[in-house]
Amino acid sequence: MAAHYHAVVWIDHREARIFHFNAAKAERISVHADRPARHLHHKAGVIGSGHAPEDQEFFERIAAAISDAGIVLVTGPANAKTELLKHIERCTPELRTRIAAVETVDHPTDGQLLDHARRY
């Protein structure tokens, strides 16, 4: 993907859609979580937060998929995008300098996501 300088990531806890693009074309990569987050409920008197642990391997595969991008936009509907950013800051801080923005975006089509990213 050396011909593409820009990348956009749309992420939730189940999947990440990654596009490497330039003015002429785009290439899509899908990364799926090995352990999609389950909705857990905290019960009174039980130790623990009631939240499933973050899937670090999922975040690592996403970071590897965007490692050659010059500028990256990270989007998504909930806090998975923030968790990805924390993972990148902790494990690949040089990649963090190439992330232009992190934005909340619900569930766009691939075309809407690329149109949004091209504004950066």
Side-chain angles (χ1 to χ4, degrees):
M1 299 209 200
H4 304 298
Y5 184 75
H6 299 85
V8 60
V9 176
W10 181 91
I11 182 174
D12 68 11
H13 284 95
R14 291 181 299 263
E15 74 167 325
R17 291 184 291 164
I18 302 162
F19 292 89
H20 288 265
F21 65 96
N22 59 27
K25 68 182 213 175
E27 295 180 48
R28 178 182 176 175
I29 301 169
S30 293
V31 178
H32 296 275
D34 289 336
R35 305 176 315 223
R38 296 182 317 271
H39 187 71
L40 301 177
H41 296 279
H42 184 71
K43 295 181 181 180
V46 176
I47 297 173
S49 66
H51 298 285
E54 297 170 1
D55 187 346
Q56 297 301 315
E57 292 174 18
F58 176 50
F59 296 143
E60 187 61 36
R61 291 193 314 269
I62 297 166
I66 60 173
S67 65
D68 61 347
I71 297 175
V72 180
L73 171 63
V74 177
T75 67
N79 62 340
K81 62 188 176 297
T82 306
E83 294 168 5
L84 172 62
L85 191 63
K86 288 178 186 176
H87 175 84
I88 289 170
E89 287 172 343
R90 189 173 52 250
C91 298
T92 53
E94 69 282 355
L95 179 56
R96 175 60 180 101
T97 63
R98 292 181 268 145
I99 296 177
V102 178
E103 293 187 3
T104 300
V105 176
D106 196 17
H107 289 83
T109 65
D110 292 352
Q112 290 170 327
L113 186 59
L114 280 169
D115 288 343
H116 184 73
R118 284 190 169 110
R119 293 182 211 147
Y120 279 85

